Amino acid sequence: NLPFIQNIEKRIQSASQLLNASLGHCFVDGLEHRDVNAIYNCLRAYAAVDNNGNAEEIFRTTIVAPFIQNVIPHGSSGGVVAASGDELENDYQQIKKHVKNDFKFLLEIASAENSGLHVFDFLANSILKEVLEAIQKGKPGAFSPGRPKEFLKNYKASLDFLAYLEGYCPTSAAVARFRAAPSYVEFMKQWNVGVYFSLRFQEIAGALDSALTAPGLVLVQNSDSGEEYSLNLTLKQSVTLLDSLRSCWNEEVLVLSCSDKFLRLSLQLLSRYSNWLSSGLAARKKGSAGSNPGCEWALSAAPDDFVIHDINCLGKEISGAYLDHVLRVLSSCSTEVLDLVKQSILHCGKSLDDLLPLVINTIKEVLVQKSVE
């Protein structure tokens, strides 16, 4: 607020505008001709006047935008792209080629050792920002979790693309700065994995619940189960449980950042099946399902329907091949976490084994009753 500064404020603004315009023209010319010296001097000037954002925006609009819009077209007449056109994997492959062939030269200049240009973040503020804007305008359906399969494919492709961009960060500090950038944070916000998991939860848990609320036991023909179920489970309810458990850790379903939720879902599925069995056995002993829907199957089941075979096979599978698969999927976790996961799954598997004496007693009671008759 000094009078001297106030008197020349207009001259300062005019000089700043002239400097920015001249720098801008020089920078654009350097970018178009890939003049390393001109680009380096312009970036030094931008850094000296603390105007990094202007350089990043010029690079985005002049060099990055034309290439990205060619890959993901968007404009006033673009409209919403059809669902079949929302896949991003091929787009990312093309963008990676442009990064390598057309953007890399500037990234290398800005990240050169002792260049003093590490204040610029062209990866986040130019490349990723333009990619995000192009997807939002050209393929907004790519972010929709309403189609879980397509959503997961796009999400994994996006994480792979981010990892590719991080490969251009010269240091771990640069990676941390890249991940903290507003455009990176905004990009990750677009992927609503919480809604995705909710949809998968309804799909997986709903399938098992539908099978367990059937009025009777449904036998599965060996030809239906096929080689995939080498266990040769005999009940549709058991096959559905195994299907649901495997779905939780299928690479086409699992989001690794939600692995804790998928683990909880796996344990809930096992608990639901165990409760279904124990409730049915209790209802048969009382002779009435009472107020417990889903127990009617036990009242009408024949002695040979109380299949010990399924319980034994499921117990072995859960504590064997299934547990090994889960631990392989989570191999990047610490030993402490893996041990907790192992104990929780084994605990739920044991709950199935604990039902065997109840099943055997039920069969005994039925056989004795038939013998008495």
Side-chain angles (χ1 to χ4, degrees):
N1 294 322
L2 294 174
F4 170 71
I5 299 296
Q6 291 176 348
N7 289 336
I8 63 170
E9 187 173 358
K10 290 184 178 180
R11 292 171 61 190
I12 294 175
Q13 290 177 353
S14 178
S16 297
Q17 291 172 0
L18 180 61
L19 174 62
N20 285 333
S22 300
L23 260 180
H25 290 307
C26 185
F27 189 44
V28 169
D29 187 64
L31 289 173
E32 291 176 345
H33 294 89
R34 297 201 181 187
D35 186 333
V36 176
N37 288 329
I39 292 173
Y40 177 77
N41 288 322
C42 286
L43 292 180
R44 288 294 300 271
Y46 275 119
V49 297
D50 195 23
N51 194 8
N52 308 343
N54 202 18
E56 293 164 349
E57 186 63 18
I58 288 175
F59 179 61
R60 182 176 82 88
T61 56
T62 305
I63 303 298
V64 179
F67 287 114
I68 301 302
Q69 290 188 27
N70 187 48
V71 176
I72 308 177
H74 61 86
S76 57
S77 60
V80 178
V81 180
S84 59
D86 284 332
E87 291 83 2
L88 296 176
E89 190 171 5
N90 290 333
D91 296 333
Y92 283 137
Q93 293 301 326
Q94 294 182 56
I95 294 172
K96 287 178 183 179
K97 291 179 182 177
H98 286 308
V99 172
K100 181 179 179 181
N101 299 329
D102 305 299
F103 310 154
K104 183 180 177 181
F105 74 97
L106 181 63
L107 299 176
E108 290 180 341
I109 294 173
S111 62
E113 192 174 355
N114 299 323
S115 65
L117 302 178
H118 298 117
V119 291
F120 295 96
D121 192 352
F122 294 108
L123 279 174
N125 298 329
S126 301
I127 299 174
L128 184 58
K129 183 177 180 180
E130 181 61 30
V131 170
L132 173 59
E133 185 174 312
I135 297 174
Q136 287 175 328
K137 292 180 179 179
K139 294 189 174 182
F143 297 120
S144 173
R147 298 190 302 276
K149 186 176 180 180
E150 291 79 5
F151 174 85
L152 181 61
K153 189 176 180 181
N154 286 333
Y155 177 64
K156 288 185 174 180
S158 297
L159 293 182
D160 178 70
F161 176 66
L162 291 177
Y164 175 80
L165 292 182
E166 287 180 5
Y168 287 94
C169 295
T171 63
S172 57
V175 173
R177 189 168 70 250
F178 174 60
R179 293 179 179 178
S183 54
Y184 186 101
V185 174
E186 183 64 24
F187 186 78
M188 292 305 296
K189 281 183 180 178
Q190 305 301 312
W191 304 100
N192 198 332
V193 292
V195 172
Y196 168 80
F197 174 77
S198 297
L199 294 173
R200 288 299 195 185
F201 181 95
Q202 294 171 16
E203 173 189 318
I204 296 171
L208 179 63
D209 206 53
S210 177
L212 298 186
T213 51
L217 296 177
V218 181
L219 295 178
V220 176
Q221 299 296 327
N222 290 335
S223 59
D224 292 336
S225 57
E227 292 182 1
E228 183 182 354
Y229 302 104
S230 55
L231 306 176
N232 289 324
L233 296 170
T234 57
L235 295 179
K236 176 67 175 175
Q237 286 85 348
S238 303
V239 171
T240 305
L241 170 67
L242 193 56
D243 260 341
S244 300
L245 289 173
R246 287 172 171 170
S247 292
C248 290
W249 303 99
N250 189 317
E251 63 176 7
E252 295 183 359
V253 174
L254 176 69
V255 172
L256 202 57
S257 60
C258 293
S259 54
D260 57 325
K261 296 179 180 179
F262 280 101
L263 173 63
R264 184 170 64 226
L265 174 56
S266 301
L267 304 181
Q268 289 171 332
L269 294 170
L270 285 166
S271 177
R272 177 73 176 89
Y273 183 85
S274 297
N275 288 337
W276 170 75
L277 271 177
S278 59
S279 299
L281 295 174
R284 185 179 181 96
K285 192 165 187 177
K286 288 195 304 183
S288 168
S291 60
N292 296 324
C295 297
E296 297 83 1
W297 64 269
L299 301 177
S300 58
D304 54 354
D305 285 340
F306 291 96
V307 184
I308 298 176
H309 170 79
D310 276 21
I311 300 176
N312 280 326
C313 286
L314 285 171
K316 289 178 182 177
E317 173 72 7
I318 290 164
S319 61
Y322 179 75
L323 176 60
D324 291 341
H325 175 69
V326 174
L327 295 180
R328 277 198 304 273
V329 172
L330 301 177
S331 58
S332 59
C333 297
S334 67
T335 305
E336 183 182 2
V337 170
L338 292 178
D339 187 57
L340 290 171
V341 171
K342 181 178 180 179
Q343 294 305 319
S344 62
I345 293 177
L346 289 176
H347 178 76
C348 276
K350 185 176 181 299
S351 67
L352 280 177
D353 295 335
D354 292 342
L355 290 173
L356 281 174
L358 295 176
V359 178
I360 293 174
N361 286 336
T362 301
I363 295 176
K364 285 179 182 177
E365 291 170 1
V366 172
L367 290 175
V368 168
Q369 182 181 355
K370 293 294 183 183
S371 299
V372 170
E373 291 176 0

